[in-house]
Structures are given as C-alpha cells and as structure tokens.
Amino acid sequence: MRKEFERVSPESVGIPSGVLEELLDALEGSGHTQMHGLIVMRKGKICAEGFWSPFGAAQVHSDHSLSKTYTATAVGICQREGLLSLEQKVIDFFPEDTPEHPSEWLRSVTIRDLLIMGGGFPPEQAGFPKNWISRHLGAEMVHEPGTFWRYDSHGTTLLSAIVEKVTGMSMVDWLAQKLFSVIGIDEKHVLCRKTEDGICIGGGGLFTTAEDNLRLMKLYLDGGVWEGTRILEEKFVHEATTCQLENWNAHAQSPWIYDNRVGYGYQIWMCRPEGSYRADGAFGQFCIVIPSEQLIVSILEAGYNGNQLQSSELHLPEPYKGENRPVYGPQVTLDILFSILLPALRQEALPEDPAAWHHLRERLSRLRIPDPWGDVQPDWTRHLENQKLETADQGISFGPLYGMKQARRIRPQAQTLCMREEKGILLLQFIEDGISRELKADMTGSRQQGILSYESEGEILSKVSCAAWFTKDGILHLSVLWYETEIENVYTFSWNGDLMTIEKRITMGLVGEAFHESGVYRRMQ
C-alpha cells in the first residue's frame, strides 16, 4: 500500500515560506518557462507542492529524457537480481542485429558504457523503425567505448531492450513489479511510448507524475533502500550519482548550459552544487537532489530551448541581464533554484510563520498557466454560423505534434470540418481518414478540458485543454494544450469569401512557437 509523505510547513524543515514565494515569482517571471508542477521535499517531508492548472498532481506528464533514469534503475535492479552484469558486452544480447564482422570497438561495448553515455557510437539517427537496433549497431563507431561522452537516446533504449530480453517482460512491467509497487508509484497511470518493434523507449518514452519522479530520486538519496527494503546495490547508487564520465568537452560549444558540463553518472547528470545530481528531461523535466541539504525538488515545465535569444528581448533573472548570448531555458530554472532556494536553507527548524505559510498555500492552490488569448471579441462569433467546409487544396491535421521535429508523427488530414458556437463553446467536428472526432473549446476566457483520441493510430496522448478566441481582425484562434506533455498546438482560422485558411503551429509553453502546416477549406454548398 502506498504510504503518503508527510506534508509540513517550510519553516519546520528550515525553509522560510517567503523564500518559496520568491522562488515562484522568479520562475513565473523568468520569460523562459511555463511552469507545470513543483514539489519541494526536505528531510523526507514535502513542504511545498503546486501545479499550474490544467496540470495537476495526479496527471502524468511527459518525462522525455528523465525516462533514462527509470531505465538505468531497471538495469540496476536486474544487476541486483543476477540477471546481468554491467560488464557484459552489448552485442551478446543482440546476435541477430550485430553486423557479420563487428569492429573491435563494437565488440567491446558494455552495458556500463551505455549507462554513462560512452558507447562510442556516432550521432543517432531519428526514429525507432523496426530495424533500429541493427541500424544502431551497424553504424561505424567514432570513439573507443568508455572514453568519450555523447548523448545517445538510442543507446539508452538498447538498455531497455536488454532489460526486456533478460526479464521476459516489458520494462514498464518489470519496473511495476520490482520498483513501482515498493516505492508507491501507481503503475496503472504510467504511460510509455514504444518502438515499432514493441520495445519501451527507455531513452525518452515514459510519462509519470512529479511525485513519481520524486519517489524515484528519493530512492537514490537513500542509497537504494526504501523503508528497509534494498532495491539497488549501494555501489550502483554511488556510481549512478557521481561522475563516471566527463562531459564538458561535449558541451564546449554551449558553455552557458553550465549544469550540462559537470559530469555524468548512470543516466543521471551532475549539478554544480557539490555532491548534487539530477534526473533530467527535455524542456525542464527535473528532479534535483542535493544530499548535503536532504533536499529534493521535482519540477515539470516547458522551458524553452531558445536559439540565439538575446537577453534584451526577454525579462531574464541574474546572471543573464545585460548579456548578449544564447540562453537555454531550463538552465534559467536551475539557476533560479540554486541562487534563491539554496542560500536560504537552514539545518535547524525556523520559528513557525502561520501567516506566511497560509499565504504560500493559498497561492500554490490557485496556480494556473498563463492565458494564451488577448482581448476576447465575442461579436465575431457570427463567422461560426453554418460553417461546413471541405478541403479545397491541402487539409490540416488536428492530431498532436509530439517531440522534436524529426520525430513528429504524420497524422491524416481532416477532409471535412463543421464549426459552430453554442453557449460560449466552440464545437469543431472533423473527419480524418474516415474517423469522426470533435474538439470543444471555451470562448469566454477560460479552458475546456476533454479527450481527443488517436488510440487507433497508436497514439497514447488523449487529454486536451482548449480555448478559442477572436482577435479584432476577425481571425479565430484555437489553443489545444495536450496536457500530458508540454506541447500546445495553436491554430488560426481566417476567412476570404467562401475559403478559409487554417495555419497550425506548435509551441512549447507559449514560447518558442514554430510554424508547422497550413490548409485551405471551402464552404460546402
């Protein structure tokens, strides 16, 4: 049975409530992130927890590469149970996918090499087709294994494939049996994307909650033991959470990403504060551990990975003000955490401050992501009367865009559309590849939550939160937030006589918008 963590005042664990409010101010005002969730644990007790609606405590969220730490944990459990050794050669698990004449370097790659991102493979290719293992193992190696750090999500997914080989079950099922059931993660809500050949994408396919991630990293903070039950070997935990391979050379071209340059363990990043480390996923899915302070901070966000953004264009916290260089969004979040929270920590309990704690709890209870709309123009809803349309040129897909550009999935285009407004709700019905679907979006300055399923196409995302609004130029805007991830699809609908043009963009937390596709529809007679 899951044992809940004790919830206490920040002061009781040596943190002023006002400092946590200062932390919230900085995160929300950084200009580089849309916050989704935050949990602060100290001395084994949760002292602050908040989620920005529509994201919530029980809602799973894309882990991206934070998945890698779960995969490493699955490997560590297999090691403890004698199912594998970290020194075993990787190709021994995949004889059918190994080249006929493997190179000396390929023959020498071990499980440990993959754990430390030292496999020696060239930059990975996009996607996970059915032949991805043979494709990866067949690539000409560029470094001697164990000597050069290169980020390799396919190498991590090779680890999940090895776990599945030695256990005879999916990696998620293995974790459910050996990890989740012990540390209090509800296996029923964990999602995982799979390769085309059915293997869990251990390099970035998991969806868990902020507290799930906190529980995982508390296991590492506690040396691999959970309430008296040892899950991971002490040696494995030590090696996983200390530098096993230097990675500064791999990030020499991006020196402003400070916390990606201080070393790497077993699918765990080292951080600048001495002895600290983190599980880390794209766009700021963090679970940061500072053992000397008995501190764990779990964060879900959409931190922008901006390209050559200039600090003059955005409101930035120190140390970026006045600097003219590229900025990496999630690094700003880490800087805020280390500069605001860490100096305020006290080993002893502080005097209780009921008023400050009450104010903090009130604020945490009413967090919400920023509204995407400006002035709502209700008079333009007349455009939505009797809107039945069919493709005139090229259609558009209403399915989710997920992941980086090279990994986006192509969705069928909507052949027909039907749009109308009822009591402040936009109803958008469409047919894609013969399947009828419907979106509902609030037009009164709020959001409408619902389900948009592409399960028949193998899509695991389904939860959406939608808003629609007209701007003064008569253009209809539609925001579709897939709130199991940080992806938001933003559409604009513009009319020209009987023709309507739809443009679709993908955003990461309302910053970093990128054009994706457009379509033209004709009013049906």
Side-chain angles (χ1 to χ4, degrees), residues 358-370:
H358 175 75
H359 191 271
L360 174 64
R361 283 183 295 171
E362 283 291 302
R363 178 173 178 178
L364 289 168
S365 70
R366 60 176 187 272
L367 296 171
R368 57 181 289 177
I369 63 171

Side-chain angles (χ1 to χ4, degrees), residues 229-517:
T229 299
R230 178 160 292 283
I231 299 175
L232 296 170
E233 294 291 351
E234 185 177 6
K235 181 174 184 289
F236 181 92
V237 171
H238 174 74
E239 293 174 352
T241 58
T242 55
C243 180
Q244 301 300 309
L245 190 60
E246 296 287 352
N247 60 354
W248 63 267
N249 55 335
H251 286 286
Q253 78 283 6
S254 53
W256 55 89
I257 312 179
Y258 309 112
D259 284 280
N260 280 9
R261 305 178 71 239
V262 290
Y264 199 77
Y266 290 168
Q267 307 289 298
I268 291 175
W269 298 79
M270 304 303 103
C271 296
R272 284 170 295 155
E274 185 176 357
S276 65
Y277 51 88
R278 74 187 188 276
D280 183 317
F283 310 109
Q285 319 322 314
F286 291 141
C287 196
I288 304 132
V289 182
I290 303 181
S292 62
E293 298 290 354
Q294 300 179 64
L295 179 73
I296 307 176
V297 181
S298 183
I299 290 174
L300 302 174
E301 64 174 343
Y304 183 44
N305 296 279
N307 297 321
Q308 304 296 319
L309 291 178
Q310 306 305 318
S311 61
S312 60
E313 298 174 358
L314 291 168
H315 167 67
L316 297 175
E318 299 293 350
Y320 297 103
K321 289 179 180 176
E323 297 187 5
N324 186 25
R325 67 184 186 192
V327 177
Y328 175 68
Q331 180 64 57
V332 175
T333 297
L334 292 173
D335 289 347
I336 289 170
L337 182 70
F338 297 151
S339 65
I340 293 178
L341 183 58
L342 287 193
L345 299 177
R346 298 293 179 266
Q347 289 299 326
E348 68 282 356
L350 299 171
E352 292 293 342
D353 189 340
W357 186 30
H358 175 75
H359 191 271
L360 174 64
R361 283 183 295 171
E362 283 291 302
R363 178 173 178 178
L364 289 168
S365 70
R366 60 176 187 272
L367 296 171
R368 57 181 289 177
I369 63 171
D371 297 335
W373 51 84
D375 293 333
V376 177
Q377 301 291 322
D379 291 345
W380 287 100
T381 56
R382 64 180 182 274
H383 276 302
L384 300 179
E385 296 175 2
N386 301 316
Q387 287 292 320
K388 295 182 179 180
L389 306 113
E390 60 185 355
T391 52
D393 180 16
Q394 178 177 323
I396 198 165
S397 165
F398 288 92
L401 293 176
Y402 181 80
M404 304 305 288
K405 183 176 180 180
Q406 67 269 24
R408 293 177 186 168
R409 297 186 176 190
I410 302 300
R411 303 292 177 191
Q413 298 173 349
Q415 297 93 38
T416 62
L417 301 175
C418 180
M419 303 169 66
R420 67 184 188 277
E421 182 265 344
E422 290 184 1
K423 298 180 180 179
I425 300 296
L426 169 67
L427 301 178
L428 174 61
Q429 297 170 318
F430 51 95
I431 296 177
E432 295 174 330
D433 202 22
I435 298 176
S436 179
R437 295 184 172 94
E438 181 180 74
L439 272 173
K440 295 182 179 180
D442 194 288
M443 298 192 72
T444 64
S446 185
R447 284 185 170 272
Q448 176 83 22
Q449 296 187 32
I451 298 294
L452 185 57
S453 175
Y454 286 80
E455 185 177 2
S456 60
E457 298 176 19
E459 176 56 69
I460 63 176
L461 300 181
S462 63
K463 295 182 178 180
V464 293
S465 181
C466 305
W469 65 99
F470 277 100
T471 46
K472 293 179 180 179
D473 51 11
I475 294 177
L476 175 66
H477 300 253
L478 171 64
S479 160
V480 181
L481 174 66
W482 297 85
Y483 64 96
E484 292 160 306
T485 178
E486 72 294 325
I487 299 299
E488 185 163 10
N489 293 345
V490 178
Y491 303 83
T492 58
F493 302 75
S494 55
W495 286 261
N496 183 9
D498 286 339
L499 294 180
M500 181 178 67
T501 299
I502 307 176
E503 292 188 347
K504 177 180 184 178
R505 290 172 169 80
I506 181 173
T507 76
M508 307 293 179
L510 304 181
V511 293
E513 184 176 87
F515 176 80
H516 182 68
E517 61 179 331

